[in-house]
Amino acid sequence: MLKLSQICHVLLATLVSISFAKTVNAEPAETLTVVVNGIHHQKGEICLRVYASERGFPMSNSNGDQSGCVKITGSSVKKEFSGLKPGTYAVAVVDDQNGDRKLNKDFFGIPKEGFGISKNPTVSIQTGTPKFRDASFVVNKNTTVNITMKYSLDS
């Protein structure tokens, strides 16, 4: 029969083994810092959504891995998204002046509020809405991306 001290040692060794196993199998988590530049005014919020796939990019308010809004305090704002798995991502930004957390458009589908897309692709009537592949970037370590706000379509 095992003595109480031997049982305690076996139990302690088992618990330590389990805790190390969980640490080894933990997936790496990265932080994405998004810097939005070129904000034209001081009212409303800048709302950002991070997408891990093309599904819903860039217009969906329900798809996307993470999202958040930042109160406008100057011509630039910064928002961090932590806990991202290494992978390919794209970011869509809206200068939400009326607080509805979406990009308002006119009858023809042209944005009435400021917007931005990671990698700052051309957005015009000819090019249409940017594709995920044109706005995506790899996150495999802590990453910073800069997005310039647009308040009209490109020529």
Side-chain angles (χ1 to χ4, degrees):
M1 188 175 281
L2 292 173
K3 294 182 182 176
L4 185 57
S5 65
Q6 289 175 321
I7 293 173
C8 288
H9 286 345
V10 170
L11 184 60
L12 181 62
T14 303
L15 290 174
V16 168
S17 297
I18 291 170
S19 68
F20 280 134
K22 287 187 178 185
T23 302
V24 170
N25 292 332
E27 289 194 36
E30 310 301 341
T31 297
L32 171 63
T33 302
V34 181
V35 179
V36 180
N37 299 302
I39 301 168
H40 284 183
H41 53 80
Q42 300 296 302
K43 71 176 187 178
E45 296 179 305
I46 299 296
C47 293
L48 308 94
R49 185 168 297 275
V50 178
Y51 295 84
S53 73
E54 64 187 27
R55 196 176 102 198
F57 177 82
M59 301 304 284
S60 174
N61 284 343
S62 59
N63 290 340
D65 275 23
Q66 291 189 30
S67 62
C69 296
V70 178
K71 183 161 179 47
I72 299 172
T73 57
S75 61
S76 294
V77 297
K78 180 168 44 171
K79 173 84 174 136
E80 288 187 353
F81 297 95
S82 57
L84 294 175
K85 296 177 184 175
T88 302
Y89 294 90
V91 179
V93 179
V94 174
D95 182 346
D96 186 25
Q97 296 176 26
N98 63 2
D100 65 356
R101 306 261 165 125
K102 65 181 183 178
L103 179 63
N104 298 120
K105 297 177 274 185
D106 68 11
F107 177 76
F108 298 105
I110 297 172
K112 297 189 326 186
E113 296 177 300
F115 64 95
I117 304 287
S118 50
K119 292 179 67 177
N120 301 303
T122 298
V123 181
S124 68
I125 292 174
Q126 290 81 18
T127 62
T129 303
K131 303 288 184 232
F132 181 81
R133 70 177 174 270
D134 299 324
S136 62
F137 53 90
V138 174
V139 173
N140 57 14
K141 60 183 180 190
N142 292 342
T143 304
T144 299
V145 296
N146 291 288
I147 298 176
T148 303
M149 291 299 301
K150 297 176 184 271
Y151 288 89
S152 64
L153 297 179
D154 297 316
S155 302

